[in-house]
């Protein structure tokens, strides 16, 4: 019995030990029991709030730090550009030519410039450094833009062509004065090839070949000018002069059409009168001599020509008048012409 009682006591003690926590829980207040049930959810909410705050702080930190990093990264690029613009030009080498011996001597700016020149088809344009402030330009300082984009380039081309024309003509005249006819011809031919509409080139070429008595070559240059539309009295005058030198009076007269103004070209019509006189047409010659005498009464050559053709027509009185007019302007005549006039006046003295 004692053993059984002991066993029962042990069981009762064990049951009391297991029932004690439950009793404690059942005897706790209701508020404490509610708080124990809500603790896991509150911890979870607090952790979420802390995570959100941490992410927000990291995003704000990135936004404030990133511009500073970009500015720091841009500074070396600007310094490199400034060094390229301001540094003296250095000989550029192809990247393949950079060996191990001179690799340490090649600057990064040179490599950048070489690559830029290889990729670009136009020369690089120097940019203004960012440190210099831009100057505002007033409307007066800005050149007016032409309605035609090519007008400015055409004007510049015309100016350069005119300057080249003056230079080549001056050098050709100087060479001709120095007796260097071949050099003068070379310069004039160069001008004629580059600017075919320059009349002076043809006239000077014809004059040089005429002095060398190369009449056919001189005539070809003048005819080429006429074919290009350069129908000026100087061209016809030289063609007639070349024909007269060869005593081809009909050809000379054919090159002297009466299409130009007498007051502007008296020598042209003086040659025409002389050619008509050689062809035995004194009346036609006197017409032009008389017009020239009225235009330039102080030119003794016109009075002398009129006197000669009148004498050919047996008009002695009229011829004597023009002989006297020519003698009054003897300073413009040669000694031989003055002697001839005095002889004719003595022979026709009534």
């Amino acid at each position: 019995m004692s053993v059984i009682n002991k066993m029962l006591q042990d069981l009762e003690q064990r049951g009391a030990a297991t029932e004690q926590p439950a009793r404690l829980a059942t005897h706790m207040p209701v508020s404490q029991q509610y708080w124990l049930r809500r603790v896991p959810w509150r911890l979870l909410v607090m952790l979420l709030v802390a995570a959100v705050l941490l992410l927000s702080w990291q995003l704000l930190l990135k936004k404030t730090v990133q511009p500073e990093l970009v500015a720091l990264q841009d500074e070396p690029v600007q310094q490199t550009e400034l060094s390229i613009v301001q540094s003296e030009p250095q000989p550029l080498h192809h990247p393949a030519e950079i060996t191990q011996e001179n690799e340490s001597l090649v600057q990064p700016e040179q490599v950048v410039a070489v690559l830029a020149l290889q990729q670009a088809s136009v020369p690089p344009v120097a940019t203004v450094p960012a440190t210099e402030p831009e100057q505002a330009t007033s409307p007066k300082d800005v050149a007016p833009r032409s309605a035609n984009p090519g007008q400015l380039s055409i004007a510049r081309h015309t100016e350069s062509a005119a300057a080249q024309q003056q230079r080549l003509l001056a050098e050709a005249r100087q060479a001709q004065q120095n007796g260097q006819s071949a050099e003068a011809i070379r310069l004039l031919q160069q001008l004629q090839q580059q600017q075919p509409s320059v009349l002076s080139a043809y006239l000077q070429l014809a004059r040089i070949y005429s002095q060398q008595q190369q009449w056919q070559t001189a005539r070809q240059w003048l005819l080429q000018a006429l074919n290009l539309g350069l129908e000026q009295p100087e061209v016809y005058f030289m063609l007639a002069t070349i024909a007269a030198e060869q005593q081809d009076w009909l050809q000379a007269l054919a090159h002297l059409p009466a299409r130009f103004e007498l007051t502007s070209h008296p020598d042209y019509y003086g040659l025409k009168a002389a050619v008509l006189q050689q062809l035995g047409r004194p009346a036609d010659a006197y017409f032009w001599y008389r017009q020239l005498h009225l235009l330039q009464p102080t030119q003794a050559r016109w009075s002398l020509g009129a006197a000669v053709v009148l004498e050919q027509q047996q008009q002695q009185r009229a011829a004597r008048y023009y002989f006297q007019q020519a003698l009054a302007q003897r300073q413009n005549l040669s000694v031989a012409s003055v002697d001839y006039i005095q002889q004719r006046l003595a022979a026709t003295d009534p």
Side-chain angles (χ1 to χ4, degrees):
M1 293 293 294
S2 59
V3 175
I4 295 172
N5 292 333
K6 238 183 226 189
M7 291 175 63
L8 291 172
Q9 290 177 358
D10 292 335
L11 290 173
E12 290 177 355
Q13 289 178 357
R14 291 179 182 176
T18 54
E19 291 177 0
Q20 184 174 2
R23 291 176 182 174
L24 291 175
T26 54
H27 290 288
M28 291 179 61
V30 178
S31 60
Q32 293 180 359
Q33 294 179 5
Y34 177 78
W35 184 83
L36 289 176
R37 287 195 303 269
R38 291 288 184 178
V39 166
W41 294 103
R42 290 184 179 181
L43 289 175
L44 182 59
V45 172
M46 291 175 66
L47 290 175
L48 290 175
V49 172
V52 171
L53 291 176
L54 181 60
L55 290 175
S56 301
W57 179 77
Q58 290 181 352
L59 292 176
L60 181 62
L61 182 62
K62 288 183 179 180
K63 290 182 179 179
T64 56
V65 174
Q66 187 174 5
E68 297 179 357
L69 293 176
V70 173
L72 292 175
Q73 292 177 357
D74 292 340
E75 288 181 358
V77 176
Q78 294 178 358
Q79 292 176 0
T80 304
E81 293 178 355
L82 291 176
S83 62
I84 294 173
V85 174
Q86 296 177 0
S87 61
E88 297 181 356
Q90 300 293 335
L92 302 179
H93 304 279
H94 195 275
E97 299 177 356
I98 300 175
T99 58
Q100 294 180 356
E101 295 180 357
N102 59 3
E103 184 176 2
S104 60
L105 301 178
V106 178
Q107 301 296 329
E109 294 83 357
Q110 296 181 2
V111 177
V112 173
V114 170
L115 294 177
L117 290 175
Q118 290 178 351
Q119 296 176 359
S121 59
V122 296
V125 180
T127 58
V128 179
T131 56
E132 296 182 359
E134 295 182 356
Q135 296 180 356
T137 57
S138 61
K140 296 181 180 180
D141 298 333
V142 179
R145 180 175 296 177
S146 174
N148 187 2
Q151 185 175 1
L152 182 59
S153 61
I154 294 174
R156 291 180 178 176
H157 178 70
T158 304
E159 291 177 358
S160 62
Q164 184 183 26
Q165 172 186 342
Q166 296 297 328
R167 178 180 59 81
L168 290 176
L169 288 175
E171 292 178 358
R173 284 192 293 266
Q174 187 64 38
Q176 188 176 359
Q177 291 175 2
N178 296 336
Q180 301 175 354
S181 300
E183 178 65 15
I185 291 174
R186 185 190 67 81
L187 293 171
L188 292 172
Q189 288 180 349
Q190 177 183 352
L191 176 59
Q192 186 271 335
Q193 292 175 0
Q194 295 178 356
Q195 302 182 39
S197 60
V198 177
L199 179 61
S200 300
Y202 299 94
L203 295 178
Q204 288 197 28
L205 283 169
R207 190 174 294 110
I208 293 174
Y209 284 113
S210 297
Q211 292 175 356
Q212 298 176 356
Q213 295 186 354
Q214 299 184 25
W215 310 114
Q216 188 63 26
T217 306
R219 188 170 180 271
Q220 289 177 356
W221 280 109
L222 295 171
L223 292 177
Q224 184 177 352
L226 291 179
N227 293 333
L228 292 175
L230 303 176
E231 298 184 359
Q232 299 298 321
E234 294 83 1
V235 179
Y236 288 104
F237 181 84
M238 291 196 68
L239 283 171
T241 302
I242 293 173
E245 290 288 344
Q246 297 175 311
Q247 295 185 356
D248 190 351
W249 304 111
L250 289 176
Q251 186 69 30
L253 184 61
H255 290 307
L256 293 170
R259 66 176 64 173
F260 304 107
E261 189 176 356
L262 175 67
T263 57
S264 301
H265 307 284
D267 292 337
Y268 178 89
Y269 289 98
L271 179 60
K272 186 178 180 68
V275 171
L276 290 170
Q277 181 181 351
Q278 292 292 332
L279 288 173
R281 298 167 57 178
D284 295 334
Y286 172 71
F287 172 81
W288 292 110
Y289 280 132
R290 183 174 180 273
Q291 297 296 325
L292 292 169
H293 172 72
L294 294 175
L295 178 65
Q296 297 177 338
T298 59
Q299 291 291 328
R301 51 181 177 165
W302 310 137
S303 302
L304 179 58
V308 171
V309 296
L310 285 173
E311 212 175 33
Q312 290 176 356
Q313 299 179 65
Q314 303 299 322
Q315 299 183 19
Q316 301 297 333
R317 182 176 297 180
R320 184 177 178 82
Y321 169 77
Y322 281 105
F323 277 129
Q324 291 174 348
Q325 293 294 321
L327 187 62
Q329 305 294 334
R330 69 180 67 185
Q331 66 274 9
N332 297 325
L333 295 174
S334 64
V335 177
S337 297
V338 173
D339 293 340
Y340 175 78
I341 293 172
Q342 291 176 346
Q343 291 176 5
R344 298 312 304 161
L345 287 175
T348 58
D349 189 8

